[in-house]
Amino acid sequence: MSIPAQASGEPDAEPDGPEGRLRRFATIWSRAIFPSTATSMTRPEFEQHLLPLARELNGILHAHPFEAAPAQRVGAALVEAHCTDPDALSSSLGVVDSYLVLYCGGNGPRELSTEDSRARCARMQHAMAGGFTQALRERTLSEQEAIARSALAARSHAEQVLHATEARFRAVFKDAAIGIGIADLDGNVLEVNDTLTRMFGGLDHHVRGHKLNEWVHPEDSPQVWKYYNELVRGEREHYRVEKPYYRNDGTVLWTNLTVSLLRDAEGRPEYQLALLEDTTERRLLNLRLRYEATHDALTGLPNRTLFFERLEKAVSARNGTRFGLCYLDLDGFKAINDSLGHAAGDRLLVEVADRLQSCATAPGEMVARLGGDEFVALTTGPDTEDEVDELACRILGVLATPIRLDGRELTVRGSIGIVEGPSGERSAAEVLRSADITMYRAKSAGGNRFELADAEADARAITRHGLTTALPAALDRGEFFIEYQPLVHLGDGSVHGAEALVRWCHPQHGVLGPDRFIPLAEHTGLIVPLGRWVLEESVRQANFWQERHSDGGPLRINVNLSPTQLHHPRLVAETVDVLERSGLEPGALCLEVTESALIGADDDLLKPLRQLAEMGVDIALDDFGTGYSNLANLRRLPVSVLKLDRSFTQGMQQHPADPVDLKIVEGIVSLAHSLELAVTVEGVETGAQAQQLRELGCDTAQGWYYARPGAPDRIHSLLLADAV
């Protein structure tokens, strides 16, 4: 039967719109549970009653952040609507499992992946069952109390009006939907109703005539028999517990048990009244939902939730035990997913999971899947120092055997980070973070290996992460500043220009050099706005020097360009904009590019550099001689300056200079000058070194012999003192 659409002016009322799909879901739901619902409503009326609950489930499914707990309200609402039959809950969970994602998966503000939708749906079923169970239990307990009071009143009144009261008591006792039993204070069962008899297997003699203390079960909580003894002594009026019983056939009956004390007219304890609600099916459902919530749906391994529970227990133990954790990430798994598809990737993960399980079979060992291609293996005991290494070797060993997949043989490799130590010293979160960091260290070392956790390496990785996350805010807060190192003309010793060197004044770590944060900025992409800021500040400072120092002050400012900036599409436009706004001539700007960034550069990469060079901006090839580039490439690069790497001139710091270094530098200078390129040498630290470079014909130099990087007002303060 189709559901009429809403008013035509509302797009969501279309049959294929979100509201239409939601109504179809409500229709399926009502048809599934209406036959088992005790209600005076017609089925269409009942369907309209379920529609708001369907909307609430849809909202929970697409909530961000996701929380399954609100689904408890839906389960409780079913009980309020008199859907108290166990089949109503089972049918409702089946409808949610089969149709909620199908009809409502696309109704949210953003598309959910199938895996995420199914995981959310499973957790919602668990919460919904919990809400149903809690509401039904509260309702049942309320009825139980009413029955208990009725039974007590009936027994008391029976002494006065025996026949009328006996009839009423028997009606309540016999026809109750829950099990009722009466026992004396010695524990002898005197009376039971038909419901209780059926709960214990259907034979009256299996219940009547037995003593209550015969029904001990290994899973009884310690308080059960303590409460029982207090009640028969008259020290307690009633108690409620969850208690299991063995049936005659050996199966287990789980109940919510309420026991009340019945007193005689003088107030003396006389009988016990027991009310039992059968919760066996509900408990099995909860166990199934618990399993689904704590195990990976694809591989069947424990998931992150269950593993973290076990890890917390292992690392918090105070009994002198140790633990060992292997954190595994498959190498190159993304390439398999991209080339063979996610279905093949899933089959590969299932095979990997089976192999990992075969590695961790000893007591105290477990394997879990954290998600994606990340797995963990945990071992506990007194000798985990050796055991965890052996476990890691077994894991790498079983992964080495190729896996056949769709007619292909795939060799799986993995990187493992190991954390081992005594329990009670670190939290589970700290251990897992250390294992994760160590795993990436193994992956950086080439993969297919394991590494042991190192506190200093962890600290460095955590510091790097902290710096990475702090970079964007640092730029906004103005924590960066620039120091300038003079470029000295070797011919007359005059200051020819300056190189701009960015620094970070970190609130906790103090002043950081570019080697600490430039690679992080490159990795995160922040190098583009940071580089633009450095260019703006440096050009502004150079223009200030030009205006204030007409007596031959710095005529050029050198600014470093990173590889990421070279690929930025607005490099030329932003550089032109900075020069025009500052009023600095293009010839006063030199952009330094490392030789390694231009190795194998194609015309597309060189085009913006050529455009800048044609405008008059100098391009310097920085760290020349370290990139193993073909010298013939110099003819096609739009550079006007070679910055010779300091490794070629370190041999000149002492007298006599290394003759090999002299020949190399002499050859480079000769080649550069023949190509009409100027030569700048960095890392000059002694006067002897400066003299040798002057004699070899180098044009400009910078280094601690002349000045360390400093404030812009110290640009003319040359030390001319050996720094080594």
Side-chain angles (χ1 to χ4, degrees):
M1 168 177 137
S2 61
I3 302 299
Q6 293 180 347
S8 59
E10 299 179 16
D12 282 353
E14 294 298 327
D16 291 329
E19 182 64 18
R21 294 193 296 269
L22 196 65
R23 286 176 174 272
R24 287 201 296 276
F25 174 77
T27 300
I28 294 172
W29 193 4
S30 67
R31 287 173 176 170
I33 67 174
F34 182 78
S36 59
T37 301
T39 178
S40 60
M41 290 186 287
T42 64
R43 200 200 61 75
E45 291 172 342
F46 186 67
E47 178 180 324
Q48 290 299 316
H49 185 76
L50 292 179
L51 190 56
L53 303 183
R55 288 197 181 96
E56 187 168 358
L57 289 175
N58 178 65
I60 297 169
L61 178 65
H62 294 282
H64 183 75
F66 173 74
E67 290 186 4
Q72 294 177 357
R73 296 194 299 266
V74 177
L78 290 176
V79 176
E80 294 174 2
H82 306 293
C83 302
T84 56
D85 192 281
D87 289 339
L89 174 60
S90 177
S91 299
S92 293
L93 294 178
V95 169
V96 171
D97 183 65
S98 300
Y99 298 101
L100 181 61
V101 174
L102 177 64
Y103 284 104
C104 302
N107 285 6
R110 61 190 181 91
E111 189 72 20
L112 297 174
S113 67
T114 301
E115 183 178 357
D116 191 15
S117 299
R118 299 305 307 171
R120 291 185 176 199
C121 186
R123 292 176 60 188
M124 289 168 60
Q125 293 176 63
H126 186 265
M128 185 175 166
F132 182 94
T133 301
Q134 182 63 29
L136 183 61
R137 180 178 182 179
E138 292 174 357
R139 176 171 173 166
T140 302
L141 290 178
S142 176
E143 293 175 351
Q144 290 173 350
E145 287 294 328
I147 293 172
R149 287 193 297 270
S150 298
L152 178 60
R155 290 297 295 264
S156 300
H157 192 56
E159 297 178 358
Q160 304 172 18
V161 191
L162 179 60
H163 297 292
T165 304
E166 181 71 17
R168 285 196 299 270
F169 174 77
R170 285 300 172 188
V172 171
F173 187 80
K174 180 178 180 181
D175 298 332
I178 61 174
I180 302 177
I182 299 175
D184 60 24
L185 298 183
D186 293 327
N188 299 304
V189 178
L190 305 176
E191 293 286 342
V192 294
N193 68 351
D194 292 342
T195 302
L196 189 144
T197 302
R198 288 194 299 271
M199 289 167 58
F200 277 86
L203 298 177
D204 184 82
H205 67 274
H206 286 164
V207 181
R208 196 190 308 271
H210 286 261
K211 281 185 173 289
L212 295 179
N213 55 17
E214 296 177 17
W215 287 330
V216 175
H217 191 278
E219 294 188 45
D220 282 338
S221 64
Q223 283 79 16
V224 171
W225 298 104
K226 173 179 177 291
Y227 292 160
Y228 172 81
N229 291 325
E230 291 175 352
L231 184 134
V232 297
R233 290 197 302 265
E235 300 170 1
R236 175 183 290 273
E237 294 300 316
H238 62 84
Y239 64 88
R240 296 174 182 169
V241 292
E242 184 180 31
K243 176 169 171 47
Y245 294 91
Y246 282 121
R247 296 189 181 97
N248 191 55
D249 59 2
T251 60
V252 177
L253 166 70
W254 280 91
T255 67
N256 280 333
L257 170 67
T258 301
V259 182
S260 299
L261 179 65
L262 304 180
R263 298 178 181 270
D264 61 17
E266 284 73 32
R268 294 186 297 268
E270 188 172 13
Y271 298 105
Q272 305 175 60
L273 175 67
L275 309 176
L276 289 83
E277 176 197 3
D278 187 349
T279 63
T280 306
E281 290 188 6
R282 190 187 314 163
R283 181 178 178 85
L284 293 175
L285 173 62
N286 286 336
L287 290 175
R288 181 175 69 85
L289 293 175
R290 163 68 179 172
Y291 179 88
E292 293 177 354
T294 57
H295 286 74
D296 177 49
L298 176 65
T299 64
L301 292 178
N303 62 11
R304 178 183 290 269
T305 300
L306 181 55
F307 171 75
F308 206 77
E309 292 177 3
R310 299 280 180 86
L311 181 61
E312 284 186 320
K313 183 178 180 181
V315 302
S316 62
R318 299 286 182 177
N319 54 1
T321 61
R322 302 180 69 89
F323 70 91
L325 172 64
C326 293
Y327 194 119
L328 167 69
D329 183 89
L330 301 183
D331 298 334
F333 179 72
K334 183 178 184 300
I336 295 175
N337 260 349
D338 293 343
S339 59
L340 302 182
H342 288 276
D346 286 348
R347 295 200 300 275
L348 178 69
L349 291 175
V350 171
E351 176 62 26
V352 169
D354 290 342
R355 295 187 180 189
L356 294 181
Q357 278 189 305
S358 69
C359 295
T361 57
E365 294 181 344
M366 74 169 294
V367 173
R369 182 189 179 203
L370 297 186
D373 60 337
E374 294 183 338
F375 298 85
V376 284
L378 177 68
T379 180
T380 57
D383 302 314
T384 54
E385 297 102 319
D386 296 328
E387 291 174 358
V388 72
D389 288 356
E390 295 172 0
L391 178 59
C393 290
R394 291 201 300 272
I395 291 173
L396 294 178
V398 297
L399 292 180
T401 304
I403 296 175
R404 290 196 60 82
L405 198 66
D406 295 335
R408 299 178 175 87
E409 280 197 352
L410 302 178
T411 300
V412 181
R413 292 155 50 94
S415 300
I416 300 177
I418 294 178
V419 178
E420 192 281 331
S423 302
E425 293 186 355
R426 288 175 287 183
S427 68
E430 291 172 336
V431 170
L432 201 59
R433 179 178 63 180
S434 178
D436 192 12
I437 292 171
T438 308
M439 179 271 292
Y440 278 106
R441 189 150 50 84
K443 191 175 288 288
S444 299
N448 197 32
R449 59 187 295 153
F450 63 83
E451 293 283 347
L452 300 178
D454 177 74
E456 293 183 1
D458 288 357
R460 289 194 298 269
I462 293 170
T463 299
R464 283 196 302 272
H465 181 266
L467 293 177
T468 301
T469 56
L471 270 170
L475 186 58
D476 294 337
R477 289 195 296 261
E479 294 178 3
F480 293 98
F481 67 97
I482 299 174
E483 291 185 332
Y484 299 88
Q485 187 172 38
L487 287 163
V488 178
H489 195 287
L490 285 171
D492 57 12
S494 63
V495 176
H496 179 71
E499 181 180 2
L501 300 169
V502 65
R503 306 285 190 258
W504 182 2
C505 185
H506 193 279
Q508 283 81 40
H509 301 291
V511 176
L512 303 178
D515 58 315
R516 293 287 302 277
F517 62 87
I518 290 297
L520 304 180
E522 282 271 1
H523 179 69
T524 60
L526 190 71
I527 192 66
V528 173
L530 177 59
R532 184 168 54 246
W533 176 84
V534 172
L535 180 63
E536 291 173 348
E537 288 295 305
S538 303
V539 167
R540 182 191 60 77
Q541 182 61 52
N543 192 57
F544 175 81
W545 283 328
Q546 295 279 18
E547 293 175 352
R548 295 297 178 95
H549 299 280
S550 58
D551 55 347
L555 300 179
R556 181 165 62 183
I557 185 71
N558 285 29
V559 179
N560 291 283
L561 280 184
S562 73
T564 301
Q565 289 175 278
L566 286 176
H567 290 83
H568 193 263
R570 289 188 50 79
L571 172 63
V572 176
E574 290 181 353
T575 304
V576 171
D577 179 63
V578 169
L579 290 172
E580 289 180 348
R581 285 191 288 108
S582 68
L584 188 71
E585 292 295 326
L589 173 64
C590 178
L591 298 177
E592 297 189 9
V593 184
T594 60
E595 181 186 22
S596 58
L598 295 182
I599 292 178
D602 56 19
D603 289 338
D604 289 338
L605 181 61
L606 296 178
K607 182 178 179 180
L609 293 180
R610 289 196 178 104
Q611 291 176 335
L612 291 170
E614 290 169 0
M615 292 167 41
V617 175
D618 280 331
I619 306 297
L621 194 60
D622 197 10
D623 297 334
F624 181 75
T626 62
Y628 306 103
S629 63
N630 189 339
L631 294 178
N633 283 335
L634 289 175
R635 295 184 300 175
R636 57 186 289 270
L637 299 179
V639 299
S640 54
V641 180
L642 293 185
K643 288 196 73 174
L644 193 60
D645 186 70
R646 68 183 64 206
S647 61
F648 291 102
T649 62
Q650 286 178 339
M652 301 180 190
Q653 292 177 357
Q654 304 296 331
H655 187 78
D658 187 328
V660 176
D661 287 347
L662 289 175
K663 288 293 183 181
I664 293 175
V665 174
E666 182 180 16
I668 293 175
V669 172
S670 175
L671 172 65
H673 286 170
S674 68
L675 296 174
E676 298 182 352
L677 303 177
V679 177
T680 297
V681 182
E682 55 186 354
V684 178
E685 298 183 349
T686 67
Q689 194 179 10
Q691 178 62 31
Q692 290 282 359
L693 293 171
R694 186 181 304 113
E695 293 174 357
L696 291 172
C698 296
D699 300 289
T700 54
Q702 65 185 96
W704 286 6
Y705 171 70
Y706 300 106
R708 294 175 183 247
D713 58 357
R714 296 174 50 201
I715 197 65
H716 287 99
S717 302
L718 300 182
L719 297 175
L720 301 179
D722 290 353
V724 294

